[in-house]
Amino acid sequence: MSFDHSNRRILVTGAANGLGLGIAKILAAVGAQLVLADVDVKVMERAEESGFRGRAVAFVHDLADRDAASILIEESVSAIGSLNGLVNCAAWSFHKPALATSIDDFDRVVAINQRAPYFLACHFAAQLSSADDDACIVNIASVNALVGNPNLTAYAGTKGALVAMTRALAVEFAPRVRVVSISPGSVRTYVTNQLIESGHIDPEALVDTALIKRFITVEEIGELVSFLFSSAARSITGANWVIDGGYTTR
């Protein structure tokens, strides 16, 4: 399925690697003008890759910084004009038992996964042009917002908050801005590969917990994001889209 997003100017956070990069590539392929943001300086090289065909600029920010959201939105508007799309994909996580989690761990995961998307959404809404009548925010949450898994309690709390914020912001920003979230299950990214290599994940056991027994691809999530930005989704807001191969049905 393909959509024309030539009228979209979208900020994608977490776009240096993995899911954020994959989403950005799919949006660029259907015409969107993009701002790519990440704490990883590699994002600057990504914006020059052929897949973006000169349709992307990049900025490096640590979203745990208190002023990162306001600065990033200001830089984005200066670079490509008023935004009418935002993908909050940047996230941070760690695998630790709840009893071993430090305050510094907790504060950083909340700052990146919950506080930053909140203020990015607010600054996004504030900068909208009067010509933008279907602005849309897509928040990338997680199935961990819906189910419990060991050693991910702090992370799960931030993703649950992101889903709750999606509903509340959809009400507050209506009708001008649609706000939706996506809760992916096990997506095969470079981070997933690192966790498999480090022994934190048993890939066969993980996919066996779902009804569709394979990893979800980055492209599948990207296509869903593209749909949610399209005119076909103009009546969709406040919803959490679960794409997990049936994992949460178990």
Side-chain angles (χ1 to χ4, degrees), residues 15-237:
N17 300 288
L19 187 53
L21 177 61
I23 290 170
K25 285 181 175 179
I26 284 176
L27 293 174
V30 289
Q33 189 76 28
L34 298 170
V35 175
L36 313 180
D38 206 290
V39 68
D40 188 342
V41 296
K42 190 181 292 185
V43 75
M44 305 301 293
E45 300 173 16
R46 298 299 194 197
E48 301 299 322
E49 291 179 357
S50 60
F52 293 107
R53 304 191 309 278
R55 303 192 62 83
V57 296
F59 297 105
V60 177
H61 284 286
D62 184 347
L63 292 182
D65 294 342
R66 290 176 62 87
D67 297 325
S70 61
I71 294 170
L72 179 54
I73 294 292
E74 183 177 344
E75 288 174 335
S76 300
V77 172
S78 178
I80 67 170
S82 63
L83 302 170
N84 56 17
L86 168 63
V87 180
N88 279 313
C89 187
W92 182 67
S93 183
F94 55 88
H95 282 70
K96 284 185 181 180
L99 295 181
T101 299
S102 70
I103 291 176
D104 286 344
D105 290 335
F106 187 87
D107 285 350
R108 182 166 180 80
V109 78
V110 169
I112 296 171
N113 297 5
Q114 182 177 351
R115 188 182 72 195
Y118 179 91
F119 284 103
L120 282 166
C122 290
H123 290 297
F124 170 84
Q127 61 77 56
L128 283 173
S129 163
S130 58
D132 292 319
D133 63 350
D134 186 36
C136 182
I137 299 170
V138 179
N139 294 320
I140 306 299
S142 168
V143 291
N144 287 285
L146 308 172
V147 299
N149 282 302
N151 302 323
L152 286 169
T153 301
Y155 172 80
T158 63
K159 291 304 186 176
L162 189 57
V163 172
M165 285 179 358
T166 294
R167 292 191 296 266
L169 287 174
V171 174
E172 189 162 345
F173 290 169
R176 195 160 183 213
V177 184
R178 295 186 294 108
V179 189
V180 294
S181 60
I182 298 173
S183 287
S186 300
V187 182
R188 194 68 181 253
T189 67
Y190 84 105
V191 173
T192 310
N193 291 333
Q194 288 178 335
L195 291 171
I196 291 171
E197 291 171 6
S198 66
H200 284 100
I201 288 178
D202 178 344
E204 293 184 3
L206 184 61
V207 298
D208 193 52
T209 60
L211 301 180
I212 299 173
K213 299 187 184 305
R214 61 170 175 80
F215 280 96
I216 299 158
T217 68
V218 167
E219 290 73 22
E220 287 175 282
I221 307 297
E223 290 289 353
L224 178 55
V225 172
S226 183
F227 163 73
L228 291 170
F229 276 121
S230 76
S231 59
R234 288 177 69 95
S235 295
I236 297 173
T237 192

